[in-house]
Amino acid sequence: MAGRIHRCGGVMIKDEITILLKEAALEAQRRDLLPPVTMPDIVLERPQNPEHGDYASTLPLKLARSARMNPLTIAQNLVSLIQLPDEIDSIAVASPGFINFSLKSDWLTKQVEGIVSAGERYGDVDLGKGAKVQVEFVSVNPTGPLHVGHGRGAILGSTLANVLASSGYDVAREYYINDAGGQMDAFHRSLYARYQQALGIDAQMPSEGYFGEYMMDIAREIIAEEGEKLSGKPAELGKIGVAKVMKTIKSDLEALGVSFDVWFSENSLFEQGQYDRVMAFLKERGYISEKEGAVWFASTALGEDKDNVLVRSDGAPTYFATDIAYHYNKFIERGFSRVINIWGADHQGHVSRMKAVVSALGIDPERLQIIISQMVTLKRGEITLRASKRTGEIIILRELVDEVGPDVCRFFFLSHSADSQMDFDLELAKRHSADNPVYYVQYGHARIASILRLAQERGIDYKEGNVSLLTGDSELALIRKMLQLPEVLELVASTLEPHHLPYYALDVATTFHNFYEKCRVISSDEALTSARLKLVEAAQIVLAKTLVLMGMTAPEKM
RNA sequence: GCCCCUGUAGCUCAGAGGAUAGAGCACCAGCCUCCGGAGCUGGGGGCGAGGGUUCGACUCCCUCCAGGGGCGCCA
């Protein structure tokens, strides 16, 4: 049993210490060493200064006020009640009221075995307990190729989905295809105009149409495949066009390493009757009103600034209306316990009314989490490249991926929090490609692979390696860093902030490179060689896992 | 006018109310008889401004300044 706890690494020991503290606090209250005040949440921190141990608690500081006691006294009282478990080397009290825990180094070294035997499952945590969660992302209208902002959402979503899957959730990755509505209409009419023009007929582009050059390319492609037979059949032509655009979108996403489990069609909401059911549901509950010839959702009744149109006076449902049906489908008909949507900053205004409507549907709005990723502006040196599909000045995602590669793309986008807007300077990205943090991390992995290759060539079997020989500072630092992986996963999964991953990857690579500099792995000392090879293998597992979660490659050679 | 996001080192960004605010790049000075130098070690430099809450604020609240986005019977 003890072995199992060790195998799980940091999270387990962290939880163990938390329980220890809580019990000590309760015991202190029983013994009147602490007044019967309500207990705050016990959180363990990772002190930045290694002299302060592996974990620290500020519980005494938090209790001081309500208990009307000196925090140092509380700390000392608590520590006196804690029995030192095997894993812990020492518990120290530090001013003004910290309790610092240091892990035993032979416990630390033993964890290397745990990492190696867990393999690629190392770091996984069971936060979700199998709960069904949907991550919906990208969901771009099939009216043109993806631009860089969409790439950001794609990377965010796919990484988040990876992390949630490793955190015990049953994850579904979904792309919502807006294949209905006004913009689709504009696309059909634009394509038909281009089709006619390509056939030498003088046709007018609709004013709200799509002027990008790709529209002409699609029209020519269709002519090459189908000839003139689609003249007079704009609907049929549109269908072929949408299919072509979707194919491009899929392949652009694949180039970025992004895939989906479900491609959900907006049209299907009408075909399956979900749309009608939801509207009836809302009407029954009095959320629907009619004025000015249109049908409205009474958002103001739910605290919103204004009501929103569901059905336009021309009878066509709005995007909002179909989105309501879509979310009804997600929560009620498909039974997701949590839904995470990743939207661009231009959809920010949609957030609160969507939450309002979800609660109108009788669903706890907390179950809908919306991540807004701020804008991306692409630059080439000082020149800002504006992305707009309608004007045709598109900065295609594919162009970026082809220029800098998917790994650089993913790492770069991931290392910014979704809340911060970002500039992507193509020139800089290319100029810095040699001393890029991406390569720093991947180089670490390749270096490890090379060491393990050499060991194999020399026929070294390190299975029996004795990890307790790993007592050097740089060796223990590497182990400590590796043990943080489950905590990082927990952090990312609970905050839905994948940007912590690249920073962790950088940290692991740094501690590994540092270890490599200080410790020769393959040497004449056979016992030490075996022990260090085990450590190196564990480091490879951690680095590879982090890279894979980020959707990046873990190269054996560079 | 209202709403959302942002302001941290020369640049690009991290920082779950806690101890001496971190990383990459850039700059300066060092490190190769040996497993991959795409590496390692050291150095200089920073929380937009002002109030407040707190034992303690980059972090929470308010005001101001600056930048970005949104306020359609578009999506």
Side-chain angles (χ1 to χ4, degrees):
Chain A
M1 244 1 231
R4 281 201 83 75
I5 290 168
H6 294 165
R7 181 172 304 169
C8 296
V11 165
M12 281 314 198
I13 185 71
K14 187 181 170 193
D15 294 345
E16 226 173 287
I17 295 172
T18 307
I19 292 165
L20 231 49
L21 261 174
K22 182 156 200 161
E23 281 171 356
L26 295 175
E27 183 61 25
Q29 289 185 325
R30 276 193 290 272
R31 296 194 191 184
D32 279 333
L33 292 168
L34 192 67
V37 294
T38 52
M39 205 52 62
D41 275 347
I42 296 175
V43 277
L44 277 191
E45 292 161 12
R46 285 270 191 185
Q48 62 243 36
N49 186 342
E51 283 170 26
H52 296 139
D54 291 291
Y55 292 98
S57 173
T58 58
L59 182 63
L61 287 162
K62 298 215 156 65
L63 283 169
R65 168 169 268 254
S66 57
R68 294 168 179 273
M69 282 176 72
N70 182 329
L72 274 176
T73 313
I74 299 175
Q76 275 148 6
N77 288 349
L78 293 184
V79 169
S80 71
L81 293 171
I82 297 174
Q83 251 193 341
L84 221 58
D86 289 346
E87 299 90 336
I88 299 197
D89 187 55
S90 67
I91 305 178
V93 171
S95 139
F98 292 97
I99 301 178
N100 297 331
F101 300 82
S102 297
L103 296 168
K104 225 176 235 175
S105 58
D106 71 334
W107 181 83
L108 285 168
T109 55
K110 243 182 258 165
Q111 304 315 303
V112 174
E113 304 274 10
I115 296 171
V116 170
S117 67
E120 61 183 25
R121 285 195 330 282
Y122 172 69
D124 290 357
V125 285
D126 191 14
L127 232 58
K129 314 244 183 278
K132 272 183 73 173
V133 53
Q134 183 201 55
V135 185
E136 184 224 313
F137 55 111
V138 189
S139 300
V140 176
N141 291 348
T143 54
L146 303 176
H147 63 67
V148 285
H150 301 134
R152 184 178 196 182
I155 291 164
L156 224 49
S158 62
T159 304
L160 217 40
N162 290 345
V163 172
L164 290 169
S166 276
S167 307
Y169 288 92
D170 178 8
V171 180
R173 296 150 221 247
E174 186 153 314
Y175 186 118
Y176 180 55
I177 308 169
N178 294 119
D179 51 8
Q183 299 206 352
M184 233 30 256
D185 253 32
F187 174 81
H188 285 189
R189 290 205 309 274
S190 305
L191 183 59
Y192 191 67
R194 290 303 192 206
Y195 180 77
Q196 286 181 299
Q197 286 169 2
L199 290 171
I201 300 161
D202 184 28
Q204 269 287 318
M205 279 290 278
S207 58
E208 75 288 14
Y210 292 89
F211 287 86
E213 212 162 293
Y214 65 91
M215 291 297 280
M216 198 46 121
D217 295 341
I218 295 172
R220 289 203 193 95
E221 223 181 287
I222 294 175
I223 290 167
E225 290 162 11
E226 309 281 340
E228 301 181 21
K229 68 183 179 199
L230 292 157
S231 289
K233 299 175 183 168
E236 215 171 301
L237 177 80
K239 228 176 195 170
I240 296 171
V242 168
K244 283 192 178 298
V245 172
M246 278 315 297
K247 203 175 149 197
T248 309
I249 288 176
K250 281 186 196 187
S251 99
D252 290 355
L253 288 168
E254 267 164 36
L256 244 195
V258 175
S259 60
F260 290 89
D261 303 308
V262 178
W263 298 80
F264 192 97
S265 153
E266 179 182 2
N267 262 322
S268 73
L269 292 167
F270 299 103
E271 290 156 8
Q272 315 274 320
Q274 276 144 354
Y275 174 81
D276 293 328
R277 282 202 293 282
V278 176
M279 289 305 133
F281 183 98
L282 288 175
K283 195 163 195 174
E284 250 171 58
R285 281 162 181 73
Y287 286 114
I288 285 183
S289 67
E290 289 187 35
K291 56 188 176 192
E292 298 156 27
V295 177
W296 299 70
F297 175 67
S299 323
T300 41
L302 293 158
E304 291 294 289
D305 291 343
K306 52 187 155 190
D307 289 346
N308 295 98
V309 173
L310 293 174
V311 183
R312 290 182 265 165
S313 46
D314 67 2
T318 61
Y319 163 81
F320 182 45
T322 51
D323 223 15
I324 295 172
Y326 182 38
H327 282 78
Y328 181 84
N329 168 273
K330 292 184 186 201
F331 283 108
I332 309 286
E333 298 186 345
R334 282 192 282 166
F336 286 108
S337 60
R338 277 172 76 191
V339 167
I340 297 165
N341 294 342
I342 294 167
W343 293 347
D346 52 340
H347 282 59
Q348 172 262 120
H350 192 50
V351 173
S352 69
R353 64 168 177 261
M354 208 56 227
K355 289 232 177 203
V357 86
V358 161
S359 67
L361 292 173
I363 298 156
D364 178 2
E366 297 276 298
R367 287 166 60 195
L368 174 65
Q369 291 172 287
I370 297 164
I371 296 170
I372 297 292
S373 75
Q374 294 299 319
M375 276 193 55
V376 181
T377 45
L378 198 61
K379 289 181 150 183
R380 217 178 265 282
E382 286 305 303
I383 304 153
T384 299
L385 310 169
R386 278 264 157 222
S388 164
K389 262 198 287 193
R390 294 225 304 97
T391 59
E393 278 179 60
I394 310 173
I395 313 310
I396 302 174
L397 173 64
R398 189 54 179 263
E399 189 187 328
L400 176 65
V401 177
D402 288 347
E403 264 191 71
V404 302
D407 286 342
V408 171
C409 245
R410 293 193 70 110
F411 196 91
F412 184 82
F413 277 118
L414 279 175
S415 53
H416 296 59
S417 93
D419 289 337
S420 68
Q421 58 203 17
M422 52 188 285
D423 293 344
F424 199 130
D425 187 341
L426 268 171
E427 217 168 71
L428 209 67
K430 281 200 294 185
R431 182 146 40 89
H432 285 183
S433 65
D435 33 37
N436 199 301
V438 177
Y439 297 119
Y440 180 80
V441 174
Q442 291 185 323
Y443 178 68
H445 188 272
R447 204 176 213 187
I448 289 170
S450 149
I451 296 169
L452 295 176
R453 263 197 310 274
L454 182 70
Q456 201 178 20
E457 278 165 25
R458 299 208 182 154
I460 303 170
D461 179 8
Y462 54 89
K463 285 208 173 46
E464 302 305 319
N466 178 6
V467 290
S468 65
L469 298 171
L470 303 168
T471 54
D473 285 348
S474 63
E475 291 164 316
L476 290 172
L478 179 55
I479 295 168
R480 285 190 159 95
K481 189 51 73 182
M482 296 192 299
L483 290 177
Q484 283 180 21
L485 179 62
E487 290 171 34
V488 173
L489 250 71
E490 196 179 53
L491 173 69
V492 172
S494 58
T495 59
L496 306 181
E497 292 175 349
H499 70 265
H500 300 290
L501 284 171
Y503 291 93
Y504 176 69
L506 230 36
D507 262 6
V508 175
T510 301
T511 40
F512 174 74
H513 286 309
N514 181 270
F515 153 79
Y516 177 87
E517 241 15 79
K518 300 237 166 69
C519 302
R520 186 166 175 93
V521 178
I522 298 173
S523 68
S524 52
D525 184 336
E526 282 179 28
L528 194 56
T529 298
S530 297
R532 284 183 174 162
L533 281 169
K534 243 182 206 174
L535 177 61
V536 167
E537 188 187 335
Q540 184 180 42
I541 287 166
V542 172
L543 224 36
K545 175 84 176 196
T546 312
L547 285 166
V548 167
L549 285 171
M550 293 192 287
M552 296 169 60
T553 53
E556 301 279 317
K557 284 181 181 173
M558 291 172 71

